């Protein structure tokens, strides 16, 4: 016969000393404790990586040492480049488009256009790909000399003024007329001169005005065939022939204007070694000797946007390469030739030549990963655990739990690693704990939840007597897989929209119009999978369907496809209910929604709601129902009645889901119904009932613990045990008596107690216990009659 350890077995078909009766129902929050190190919120020393210069640099993780910390969350890492110089132009010194200085603060090119202006536009392959802007940075280089400065303004080419051809006005009647215009126009604006001829016999007089009122002159006594100045800005007219009185001639004048932008005004004086000179110039300057070749060679000019940018991990302009690399031990390697996008350059990646680089990341804090600890007030969380933010996970959840625990302690245990190994290590530690009850795992990964559920079941096993339960929040995905297989996509009506599935199965899988068809799966240079998505228009038969639009190229050979569905609200409600009913166990409460909005307006995972509920339930007597009680610390639950109808919420609840709802915007969230995932009966679905039964079990087990293996089975001792059980139940019931909850035990009877006739060292007792049920429904009938 197998060995049996002396023990007390209490079976839940289901004191004399209160200390034996009282079993704390502490919540215990389990999850990753992230230390947050974030650029922009921490001190610069904690986040500064390096001054990047375009070459590869490996930098240790700033802000923490290896001791006391676990793995870095690689998905959380972000590198920010401050004052990054992003180069968008560089010429080659000595090429056909010469650039040189023009005075102390100007660089000039006769051919390059730095910025679009009027009809003068930049040319691809020669000029900068974008307009130069005031404030951009410029680097001038030649030999060992360089200058880094900024653009202050632009220098335009000059378009000379011009005097247009004189033309006669409509209605002129002179004969044999030849009229010419000339001179150099010096006016400040474009205009047209209007010259009117007065004829008095053989005498001629000219009167001058302009269309814009800019200029006028006359009357001028005029001799035919001579040049006459008209106006005050250098324009002349010469008239030959026989003019008629009142004839008018028009002379357009165009002012000198700005042309193409060939020059840039710089903020700093261009040093002598970078000045352009002829070969006969002096070979030295105040800055020292100047190489002779400098006199005949133009400058190398680089133009930069200087801005703060977030460095993208993958180097998207170079498939398979990375801008930086992450190493858990050694830190971050900033690779050579980092590139970045900028809003001014659209989809063109720019090389980053320099920047001050900072990092944002989070790392597992191991301080509280090896033993269960506790806090009693929310004000202690930040000083003990650090930042109270959703990204910190454990501190945030503990804070939310304490916000609702009304001064009752909240226990917690950090993970040693955020993976299955870490979760298994955590439940091993919990196995040795006696005073944890409501377990709240901060995860929505099913495999991790299974680890905790297995632990709960093991602790509730007969003889272990460590009853506990768990609050979880299963995540509802955006899309649900419908089916997968092999298919071709071919032309129909001029588009690749005809999908043929050789093995069929579309009808059996209930594929329907509106589902998402994914095809053309590829693995990119970084090892990530990509695909194209199209909407299904019609399912023709079991092996044929059409798409609303299809891929640009056909798929003639059967290739992998997947069909996903964005479910209707009713289908989502059924899916959530299915998640809960898949547990069908009174030890699990699945909390919905799977995300909520906290008091700061941030969207957080539903397990933080679960932590708050666990904190609140721990603050009331075991048999106190918590339906319709408020939950603090959250401002909205958008996926409850604001999204689902009442009927759909009822469907979710009927699967055994604890729903947190809100009646109106701005109201506090409340518990719609205190359900476990076993909806079978009141005795299994009502949280207050099952917690109360656990409380009674603890009271009996704790008071009988002193007997195991220390006394013999005699009639006297059997009666001692009977009396002890009765005393434990009476003390428990009296201890937790409240006005709203009433007595924890309505009645009980030990129907049988005695030795097991086969296992002679086993004392067995059967006890019928009646516990209170919540008053969920008040059904009032009014019979009305008139008098």
């Amino acid at each position: 016969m197998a060995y049996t350890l002396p023990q007390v077995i209490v079976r839940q078909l289901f004191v004399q000393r209160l200390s034996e009766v009282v079993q704390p129902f502490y919540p215990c929050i389990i999850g990753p404790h992230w230390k947050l190190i974030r650029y922009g919120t921490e001190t610069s020393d904690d986040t500064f990586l390096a001054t990047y210069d375009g070459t590869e640099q490996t930098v240790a993780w700033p802000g923490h040492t290896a001791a006391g910390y676990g793995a870095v969350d690689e998905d959380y890492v972000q590198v920010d480049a401050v004052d990054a110089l992003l180069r968008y132009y560089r010429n080659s010194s000595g090429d056909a488009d010469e650039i040189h200085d023009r005075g102390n603060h100007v660089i000039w090119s006769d051919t390059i256009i730095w910025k679009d202006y009027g009809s003068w536009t930049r040319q691809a392959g020669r000029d900068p790909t974008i307009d130069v802007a005031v404030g951009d940075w410029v680097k001038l280089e030649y030999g060992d000399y360089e200058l880094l400065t900024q653009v202050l303004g632009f220098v335009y080419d000059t378009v000379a003024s011009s005097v247009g051809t004189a033309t006669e006005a409509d209605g002129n009647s002179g004969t044999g007329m030849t009229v010419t215009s000339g001179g150099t126009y010096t006016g400040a604006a474009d205009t047209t001169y209007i010259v009117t001829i007065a004829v008095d016999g053989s005498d001629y007089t000219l009167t001058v005005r302009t269309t814009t009122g800019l200029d006028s002159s006359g009357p001028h006594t005029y001799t035919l065939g001579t040049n006459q100045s008209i106006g005050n800005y250098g324009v002349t007219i010469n008239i030959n022939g026989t003019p008629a009185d009142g004839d008018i001639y028009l002379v357009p004048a165009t002012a000198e204007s700005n042309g193409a932008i060939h020059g840039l005004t710089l903020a700093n004086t261009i040093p002598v070694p970078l000045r352009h000179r002829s070969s006969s110039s002096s070979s030295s300057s105040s800055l020292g000797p100047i190489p002779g070749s400098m006199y005949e060679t133009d400058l190398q000019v680089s133009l930069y946007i200087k801005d703060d940018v977030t460095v993208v991990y993958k180097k998207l302009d170079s498939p398979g390469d990375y801008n930086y690399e992450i190493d858990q031990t050694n830190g971050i390697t900033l690779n050579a030739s980092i590139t970045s996008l900028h809003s001014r350059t659209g989809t063109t990646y720019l090389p980053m030549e320099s920047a001050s680089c900072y990092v944002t990341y989070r790392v597992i804090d191991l301080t509280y990963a090896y033993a269960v600890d506790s806090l009693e007030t929310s004000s202690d969380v930040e000083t003990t655990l650090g930042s109270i933010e959703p990204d910190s996970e454990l501190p945030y959840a503990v804070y939310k739990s304490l916000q609702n625990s009304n001064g009752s302690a909240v226990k917690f245990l950090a993970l040693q690693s955020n993976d299955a190994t870490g979760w298994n290590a955590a439940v091993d530690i919990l196995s040795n704990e006696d005073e944890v009850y409501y377990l709240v795992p901060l995860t929505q990964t099913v495999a991790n939840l299974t680890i905790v559920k297995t632990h709960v079941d093991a602790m509730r096993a007969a003889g272990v007597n460590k009853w506990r339960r768990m609050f979880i929040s299963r995540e509802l995905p955006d899309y649900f897989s419908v089916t997968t297989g092999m298919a071709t996509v071919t032309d129909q009506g001029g588009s690749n929209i005809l999908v043929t599935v050789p093995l069929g199965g579309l009808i059996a899988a209930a594929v329907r119009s509106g589902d998402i068809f994914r095809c053309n799966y590829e693995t990119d240079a970084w090892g990530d999978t990509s695909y194209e998505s199209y909407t299904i228009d019609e399912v023709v038969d079991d092996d044929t369907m059409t798409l609303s639009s299809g891929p640009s190229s056909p798929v003639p050979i059967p290739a992998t496809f997947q069909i996903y569905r964005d479910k209707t609200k009713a289908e989502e409600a059924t899916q959530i209910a299915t998640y809960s009913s898949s547990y069908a166990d009174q030890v699990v409460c699945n909390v919905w929604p799977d995300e909520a909005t906290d008091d700061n307006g941030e969207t957080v995972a539903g397990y933080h709601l679960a932590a708050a509920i666990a904190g609140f339930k721990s603050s009331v007597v075991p048999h106190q129902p918590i339906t319709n009680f408020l939950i603090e610390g959250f401002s909205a639950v958008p996926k409850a009645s604001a999204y689902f109808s009442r009927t759909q919420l009822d469907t979710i609840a009927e699967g055994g889901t604890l729903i947190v709802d809100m009646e109106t915007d701005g109201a506090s969230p409340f518990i719609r119904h205190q359900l476990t995932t076993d909806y079978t009966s009141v005795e299994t679905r009502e949280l207050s009932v099952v917690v109360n039964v656990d409380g009674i079990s603890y009271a009996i087990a704790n008071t009988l613990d002193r007997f195991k293996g220390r006394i013999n089975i005699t009639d006297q001792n059997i009666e001692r045990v009977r009396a002890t059980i009765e005393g434990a139940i009476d003390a428990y019931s009296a201890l937790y008596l409240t006005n709203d909850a009433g007595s924890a035990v309505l009645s009980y009877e030990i129907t049988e107690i005695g030795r097991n006739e086969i296992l002679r060292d086993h004392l067995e007792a059967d006890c019928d216990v009646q516990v209170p049920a919540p008053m969920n429904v008040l059904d009032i009938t009014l019979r009305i009659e008139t008098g």
Side-chain angles (χ1 to χ4, degrees), residues 92-138:
S92 297
S93 180
D95 64 15
D97 300 308
E98 181 177 318
I99 305 172
H100 55 81
D101 68 292
R102 179 181 280 189
N104 293 338
H105 291 273
V106 174
I107 57 172
W108 180 271
S109 170
D110 291 334
T111 54
I112 295 173
I113 296 176
W114 301 110
K115 181 179 185 293
D116 290 349
Y117 177 75
S119 61
W120 294 276
T121 57
R122 292 171 288 105
Q123 296 183 24
R126 182 195 70 185
D127 302 335
T129 55
I130 60 171
D131 282 344
V132 178
V134 172
D136 285 355
W137 287 75
V138 187

Side-chain angles (χ1 to χ4, degrees), residues 3 21 75 121 163 205 211 217 257 264 266 270 389 422 490 516 544 589 594 627 712 714:
Y3 168 74
V21 173
D75 292 335
T121 57
V163 176
T205 303
T211 55
S217 66
S257 62
L264 298 177
L266 308 181
I270 300 172
E389 298 190 38
T490 54
I516 305 300
T544 309
C589 286
D594 59 355
T627 296
N712 290 322
T714 65

Side-chain angles (χ1 to χ4, degrees), residues 14-256:
F14 274 163
V15 182
Q16 292 161 342
R17 289 193 307 231
L18 289 181
S19 61
E20 295 175 334
V21 173
V22 175
Q23 173 66 34
F25 288 85
Y26 292 126
C28 184
I29 318 298
I30 313 114
H33 178 191
W34 296 109
K35 178 181 179 180
L36 304 180
I37 299 173
R38 296 162 302 174
Y39 167 66
T41 60
E42 317 299 332
T43 63
S44 60
D45 288 344
D46 286 337
T47 63
F48 180 70
L49 276 177
T51 299
Y52 182 72
D53 61 3
T55 62
E56 180 180 306
Q57 302 175 65
T58 298
V59 188
W61 296 105
H64 87 277
T65 57
Y69 294 97
V72 169
D73 181 358
E74 296 187 11
D75 292 335
Y76 196 84
V77 174
Q78 176 178 303
V79 174
D80 285 281
V82 177
D83 291 336
L85 284 180
L86 306 174
R87 192 184 75 241
Y88 64 86
Y89 172 81
R90 172 178 285 171
N91 74 321
S92 297
S93 180
D95 64 15
D97 300 308
E98 181 177 318
I99 305 172
H100 55 81
D101 68 292
R102 179 181 280 189
N104 293 338
H105 291 273
V106 174
I107 57 172
W108 180 271
S109 170
D110 291 334
T111 54
I112 295 173
I113 296 176
W114 301 110
K115 181 179 185 293
D116 290 349
Y117 177 75
S119 61
W120 294 276
T121 57
R122 292 171 288 105
Q123 296 183 24
R126 182 195 70 185
D127 302 335
T129 55
I130 60 171
D131 282 344
V132 178
V134 172
D136 285 355
W137 287 75
V138 187
K139 183 190 288 184
L140 309 181
E141 296 176 271
Y142 185 76
D144 295 332
Y145 297 95
E146 71 174 46
L147 171 68
L148 182 64
T149 184
Q150 281 184 278
V151 175
L152 287 187
F154 304 102
V155 181
Y156 299 79
D157 198 1
T158 299
V159 178
S161 65
S162 63
V163 176
T165 301
T167 59
E168 65 178 10
D170 293 340
N172 283 7
S173 57
T175 59
M177 299 300 296
T178 302
V179 180
T180 58
S181 57
T184 301
Y185 178 58
T186 60
D190 297 349
T191 193
T192 298
Y193 285 88
I194 304 170
V195 180
T196 302
I197 304 174
V199 180
D200 183 9
S202 60
D203 295 329
Y204 301 94
T205 303
L206 305 182
T207 303
V208 182
R209 58 191 175 92
T210 60
T211 55
T212 61
L214 174 70
D215 198 7
S216 64
S217 66
H220 303 284
T221 299
Y222 180 65
T223 301
L224 292 175
T226 63
N227 288 329
Q228 174 64 50
S229 294
I230 56 175
N232 302 291
Y233 297 112
V235 179
T236 64
I237 193 168
N238 190 307
I239 302 171
N240 278 294
T242 306
D245 186 46
D247 281 359
I248 296 175
Y249 287 89
L250 306 176
V251 180
T254 303
E256 181 181 287

